Amino acid sequence: MGEYAIEVKNLCVDYKSLKSYSIKKMLLRGKRNEKELFHAVKNVSFSVEKGEIWGIIGKNGSGKSTMLKAIAGIFSADGGSIDLKGHSVSLLSIGVGFQKNLSGRENIILAGMLLGFSEAHVREKMDEIIQFSELGDFIEKPVRTYSSGMYSKLAFSITAILETEIMLIDEVLSVGDEHFKKKSLNKMKSLINDENRTVLIVSHSIPMLKELCTKVMWMHDGEIVKIGEPNQVLKEYSEFMK
């Protein structure tokens, strides 16, 4: 057994959602903004060895993205613990991490510093990040003007060039044009070849998870159904989803 990079024990993440009431009921009963607790991740435990590449699959609403955000420190755990063993971590996810009124260039600096890199180091890598992103003149424009594909390109480029020890990827590889998808996948493969880098990939793409991952975790309704060899877990998941 190797050295662990991620240890998650009895993780619970909850959030409050508005209850569904008809307008008539709200008027008659005087109910306004009543909230109920939603258990997004329910008592989840697992350990990932350093250098492993895990795929995480499950239908929408199964808790995959919520769990990644908790591991990245964006969401607070309501129970349990997450131990990253002191490793640096980055999350690639559409809609997370950018200040929309700042330019792409300014967001590169901000994102890099939030990942724990010095401003000098980020500026040193700036040209390489911009070149990889293929955003051209858009790099000087506010991120709010970006399409989802452009947003994805910038997010992936920052994390791919500013290499962290733990990479969390939430569907980002499936966004963008075919050329950039292929380029991102090839870059991902090169990053994965580093035995010191640990990767968790949330995706609905069974072929990609088969190709990239050493293990697959299947989640359903906030719980782990199975963790194991990719072909077997993905086969069982596919049969379940029929």
Side-chain angles (χ1 to χ4, degrees):
M1 184 176 290
E3 174 189 348
Y4 286 130
I6 304 170
E7 282 192 288
V8 175
K9 294 181 180 178
N10 307 119
L11 177 66
C12 297
V13 182
D14 306 324
Y15 58 84
K16 292 180 179 179
S17 59
L18 289 175
K19 283 187 177 180
S20 297
Y21 280 98
S22 69
I23 294 174
K24 183 177 179 181
K25 283 183 179 180
M26 289 177 70
L27 290 173
L28 291 174
R29 299 185 184 182
K31 292 182 181 291
R32 293 180 182 273
N33 295 330
E34 186 165 342
K35 296 180 179 180
E36 60 183 3
L37 202 61
F38 178 74
H39 304 292
V41 179
K42 307 170 186 174
N43 205 39
V44 164
S45 297
F46 61 92
S47 299
V48 183
E49 290 185 19
K50 187 176 181 180
E52 284 192 310
I53 301 96
W54 280 35
I56 304 173
I57 200 163
K59 68 177 187 178
N60 290 336
S62 60
K64 309 181 301 296
S65 296
T66 299
M67 186 177 71
L68 278 200
K69 289 183 175 73
I71 294 171
I74 294 169
F75 287 173
S76 297
D78 293 287
S81 63
I82 300 167
D83 187 355
L84 303 182
K85 310 297 182 181
H87 295 117
S88 58
V89 61
S90 58
L91 171 65
L92 280 78
S93 176
I94 297 299
V96 174
F98 290 151
Q99 296 295 317
K100 298 194 184 301
N101 289 325
L102 297 181
S103 69
R105 183 184 296 274
E106 290 167 328
N107 269 293
I108 290 172
I109 295 171
L110 179 61
M113 293 177 72
L114 287 173
L115 289 175
F117 297 99
S118 68
E119 182 177 350
H121 180 73
V122 178
R123 289 188 182 278
E124 184 181 315
K125 295 285 187 177
M126 180 71 75
D127 289 344
E128 189 177 354
I129 294 168
I130 293 171
Q131 182 178 5
F132 191 94
S133 74
E134 302 177 354
L135 289 175
D137 292 340
F138 274 95
I139 202 69
E140 310 299 347
K141 295 183 178 180
V143 166
R144 59 180 162 75
T145 65
Y146 288 15
S147 65
S148 61
M150 293 165 69
Y151 197 106
S152 170
K153 287 180 176 183
L154 184 60
F156 185 87
S157 300
I158 292 169
T159 306
I161 304 303
L162 298 175
E163 302 172 9
T164 55
E165 294 159 310
I166 297 173
M167 294 178 67
L168 312 174
I169 302 169
D170 191 358
E171 291 290 359
V172 169
L173 290 178
S174 63
V175 180
D177 55 67
E178 288 303 317
H179 162 73
F180 197 80
K181 282 182 190 176
K182 185 175 181 180
K183 178 178 172 179
S184 298
L185 190 58
N186 288 335
K187 181 65 176 177
M188 194 71 240
K189 288 177 183 177
S190 71
L191 291 172
I192 284 172
N193 284 334
D194 184 342
E195 62 184 18
N196 292 315
R197 182 167 293 107
T198 307
V199 184
L200 300 185
I201 304 172
V202 165
S203 179
H204 292 287
S205 173
I206 288 175
M208 186 180 73
L209 295 181
K210 281 183 178 179
E211 182 178 359
L212 294 180
C213 300
T214 55
K215 282 186 182 177
V216 169
M217 175 195 296
W218 170 14
M219 291 188 70
H220 184 74
D221 289 344
E223 299 177 313
I224 296 173
V225 177
K226 190 167 187 176
I227 298 172
E229 191 272 327
N231 286 331
Q232 183 60 38
V233 176
L234 292 169
K235 180 183 176 183
E236 291 182 28
Y237 172 74
S238 298
E239 290 170 354
F240 173 79
M241 292 297 289
K242 285 180 180 176

